[in-house]
Amino acid sequence: MATAAISPDVLAKYEPVIGLEVHVQLLTASKIFCGCANKFGSAPNTNVCPVCLGLPGALPVLNAKAVEFATLAALALHCTVNERSIFARKNYFYPDLPKGYQISQYDKPLAEHGWIAVPTADGATKRIGITRLHMEEDAGKSLHEGFADSATRTYLDLNRCGTPLVEIVSEPDIRTPDEAFEYLTRLKEILLYTGVSDCNMEEGSLRCDANVSVRLRGAERFGTKAEVKNVNSFRFIRAALEYEIERQVEILESGGRVAQETRLWNANEGRTYSMRSKEQAHDYRYFPEPDLPPLIVSEEFLKRKRTELPELPEARRARMIAEYDLTAKDAQTLTASREFADRFEEAAKTAKNPRRVANVLLSEVGGRLNALGLDHDRSPVSMTGIVLAADLLDEDKISSRQMKQLFDIAFEKGEDFGVVYEREKPQQITDASALEKLIDEVIAANPKQVEQYRAGKKTMAGFFVGQVMRASKGQANPALLNELVTKKLEG
Ligand code: ADP
Ligand code: ZN
Ligand code: MG
């Protein structure tokens, strides 16, 4: 695993402490305080108005949909939603923030005291606390590259100004870079299930700042933390944390002190650089936003939002394992997205044996797609085709060897399984005397295995079934073959 990058000696002596701050853009149609479209990829500065440009006299009006999404996210993360929360101005000057302040929430956030369950290295689960979830607006974008005069000029695109965000701050409960990776994976999964964000990191819909410190094992107080910004994938977060932990331990081991600072991750070099120290830290001079009233969330509204929560990934996995007799690993793969899990469950309902549908979907189809580097939505085989394959197998109308051959053809020609099956209609040997002849040959050729079987090793039957199946080129009817092999061996 990736933590192997940190030497075991270091981890025996020092304990990393990690807390994550995650910004998530909400999938509302319009922005948080105005009617402008909330859309990625429009021509620069086309989704703007006096409110999100911060022109004098323009007044913000809170988008109800943003509150609904933020509340759904808070409930899905087991947070307590405050009946009354307050918007505040966070003041700082930056060209992509034309108002000169960001409307955020400060001492009275929308929600607090939540948690996410993450699997640990030893197979247990651990709860990572969520300190708070608050609402705020996004800033615009400074474009430093891509223009003929980029060497001397910076361009501004203010389309992103006023995009609704939630910031989700974790407790310093995370202890390894792998745990941080798991936390982010679970968080993203939950947000995708609730449908409040597309969590697209390339487009900046989900952004993460990582806080990390180290302390001697057994020490009570936390060490001084560094905050790492500008990391745009979960894998890079893990790498950046590993780098930081090593860096901080080296400082301590050589008798130095870790500086409290903000650092930037450089993906090309695989290391972090100091961006600003604590002395240069902003004083945001927060104060309550005078243009917005307190946000009141009624008990009735909360009740409604609770009923709107979908079944969340954890619960869904547990139910699917029980209902379809799945392995934990298969359940994890099947629930990776809500859409994929829905497609599987709809199909499984129509099949004779849901577990077999899972096997065919993940091993036969998933395996071939993986090898081709394709997603399930690019599969030539439909769910109907997968159910057909599973049912045919289940009814012994085809052998698994024949099924594999049919899938090979389907993938080769880009055809659905049903089409291939109808055309190829694989032969089956259902004539007992023909099968008996093949069995007799295999038994005669393998006296040692016969002896083992008769000495009590009943699992040897599988060996004979396999040999005859091969001799029949996969055409033996599996049920009949099983029955006859046992009869012959016993006889
Ligand atoms: P700041 O005042 O620097 O913003 P906060 O207390 O608000 O710090 O915490 C910001 C994030 O840093 C949270 O996710 C928190 O869990 C984490 N954090 C706080 N102290 C530490 C520490 N000593 N080591 C690692 N992470 C920490
Ligand atoms: Zn606007
Ligand atoms: Mg803070």
Side-chain angles (χ1 to χ4, degrees):
M1 285 224 101
T3 354
I6 305 174
S7 86
D9 294 353
V10 164
L11 289 178
K13 187 165 173 192
Y14 290 95
E15 180 179 51
V17 171
I18 298 162
L20 301 175
E21 296 168 287
V22 176
H23 286 90
V24 182
Q25 292 182 343
L26 301 177
L27 272 179
T28 53
S30 55
K31 293 187 180 179
I32 185 168
F33 298 123
C34 63
C36 292
N38 171 28
K39 212 162 76 195
F40 181 86
S42 303
N45 301 306
T46 53
N47 302 327
V48 291
C49 74
V51 173
C52 54
L53 290 177
L55 301 189
L59 291 173
V61 177
L62 181 59
N63 180 344
K65 197 71 198 171
V67 179
E68 291 187 30
F69 278 167
T71 305
L72 268 179
L75 292 174
L77 298 170
H78 311 99
C79 289
T80 305
V81 177
N82 292 321
E83 189 192 350
R84 187 170 188 273
S85 62
I86 304 287
F87 285 99
R89 287 190 185 179
K90 178 177 180 179
N91 300 280
Y92 63 94
F93 174 77
Y94 203 74
D96 64 20
L97 186 75
K99 286 209 299 287
Y101 59 86
Q102 175 194 27
I103 304 181
S104 181
Q105 294 187 310
Y106 185 50
D107 51 354
K108 298 226 162 52
L110 176 70
E112 298 169 272
H113 313 305
W115 51 267
I116 294 179
V118 302
T120 53
D122 58 4
T125 26
K126 168 177 170 180
R127 279 186 186 184
I128 308 295
I130 290 172
T131 314
R132 55 190 276 141
L133 177 151
H134 69 250
M135 299 180 70
E136 61 187 27
E137 60 179 337
D138 211 340
K141 262 188 218 164
S142 299
L143 308 171
H144 304 288
E145 282 166 31
F147 296 92
D149 50 359
S150 282
T152 53
R153 274 165 212 247
T154 290
Y155 286 78
L156 289 172
D157 178 4
L158 300 178
N159 281 344
R160 204 176 66 178
C161 283
T163 294
L165 296 176
V166 287
E167 179 175 345
I168 300 158
V169 181
S170 90
E171 289 287 307
D173 287 348
I174 299 166
R175 290 290 172 271
T176 65
D178 281 338
E179 252 174 52
F181 185 90
E182 280 295 335
Y183 170 88
L184 291 167
T185 305
R186 302 295 149 185
L187 173 61
K188 178 175 165 184
E189 214 173 56
I190 292 167
L191 295 170
L192 284 175
Y193 265 62
T194 45
V196 302
S197 175
D198 62 21
C199 296
N200 186 333
M201 288 189 91
E202 278 103 70
E203 296 182 358
S205 320
L206 188 154
R207 314 195 286 270
C208 176
D209 301 331
N211 300 270
V212 53
S213 62
V214 297
R215 62 179 170 186
L216 284 172
R217 285 206 181 265
E220 219 166 280
R221 289 183 45 177
F222 289 152
T224 305
K225 73 176 161 76
E227 179 176 5
V228 186
K229 287 187 178 289
N230 204 27
V231 202
N232 61 5
S233 83
F234 293 173
R235 244 179 261 205
F236 282 157
I237 300 249
R238 182 161 58 189
L241 286 169
E242 284 165 0
Y243 177 85
E244 260 310 296
I245 290 163
E246 294 267 23
R247 186 188 68 87
Q248 293 181 16
V249 166
E250 261 171 47
I251 292 173
L252 295 178
E253 285 286 284
S254 61
R257 291 174 73 163
V258 174
Q260 183 167 340
E261 59 184 354
T262 303
R263 299 179 69 86
L264 285 185
W265 167 249
N266 182 317
N268 292 328
E269 296 173 30
R271 56 162 294 183
T272 64
Y273 285 95
S274 180
M275 179 172 106
R276 60 170 179 252
S277 70
K278 197 184 178 193
E279 288 70 48
Q280 302 158 283
H282 298 295
D283 172 4
Y284 294 117
R285 293 173 292 129
Y286 279 97
F287 63 85
E289 167 60 62
D291 292 339
L292 287 167
L295 170 58
I296 308 295
V297 174
S298 72
E299 192 46 52
E300 193 203 320
F301 173 81
L302 274 188
K303 222 185 254 168
R304 192 147 31 92
K305 289 296 128 192
R306 246 181 226 117
T307 64
E308 282 173 25
L309 272 185
E311 185 180 26
L312 293 170
E314 276 277 305
R316 187 164 194 173
R317 274 191 281 279
R319 177 181 57 75
M320 282 172 56
I321 288 170
E323 201 168 322
Y324 308 123
D325 187 27
L326 301 175
T327 63
K329 186 163 169 281
D330 285 355
Q332 174 64 52
T333 314
L334 288 168
T335 55
S337 85
R338 190 173 158 187
E339 292 70 30
F340 192 49
D342 286 348
R343 280 181 61 211
F344 165 73
E345 288 209 81
E346 267 161 43
K349 263 185 230 142
T350 67
K352 303 207 159 48
N353 181 342
R355 182 180 176 132
R356 207 182 296 273
V357 173
N359 287 341
V360 173
L361 171 62
L362 299 180
S363 312
E364 296 305 327
V365 176
R368 284 176 174 77
L369 288 172
N370 257 344
L372 295 169
L374 294 178
D375 280 339
H376 275 276
D377 52 3
R378 301 276 310 276
S379 174
V381 178
S382 67
M383 269 296 177
T384 318
I386 289 165
V387 171
L388 173 66
D391 283 352
L392 289 170
L393 260 189
D394 220 52
E395 294 168 331
D396 280 324
K397 290 198 177 136
I398 54 174
S399 64
S400 61
R401 188 180 158 122
Q402 285 172 327
M403 178 192 62
K404 282 178 199 299
Q405 288 165 347
L406 295 176
F407 274 118
D408 283 344
I409 297 169
F411 272 80
E412 207 174 285
K413 304 206 163 162
E415 294 173 330
D416 204 347
F417 184 87
V419 174
V420 178
Y421 175 73
E422 284 305 322
R423 188 179 58 234
E424 308 284 326
K425 271 282 157 59
Q427 298 282 314
Q428 269 217 336
I429 305 174
T430 49
D431 171 10
S433 61
L435 282 183
E436 279 174 343
K437 194 167 155 266
L438 289 175
I439 297 169
D440 288 339
E441 284 167 21
V442 170
I443 283 180
N446 297 283
K448 260 210 199 96
Q449 284 82 352
V450 176
E451 215 172 279
Q452 287 174 5
Y453 180 90
R454 297 201 169 130
K457 198 175 172 197
K458 299 290 178 198
T459 52
M460 277 320 286
F463 165 80
F464 289 97
V465 168
Q467 291 295 310
V468 177
M469 191 55 96
R470 186 180 300 176
S472 77
K473 301 195 170 58
Q475 293 179 353
N477 175 282
L480 183 62
L481 174 61
N482 270 313
E483 184 194 315
L484 293 176
V485 161
T486 310
K487 207 169 89 188
K488 287 273 182 191
L489 288 170
E490 295 291 335

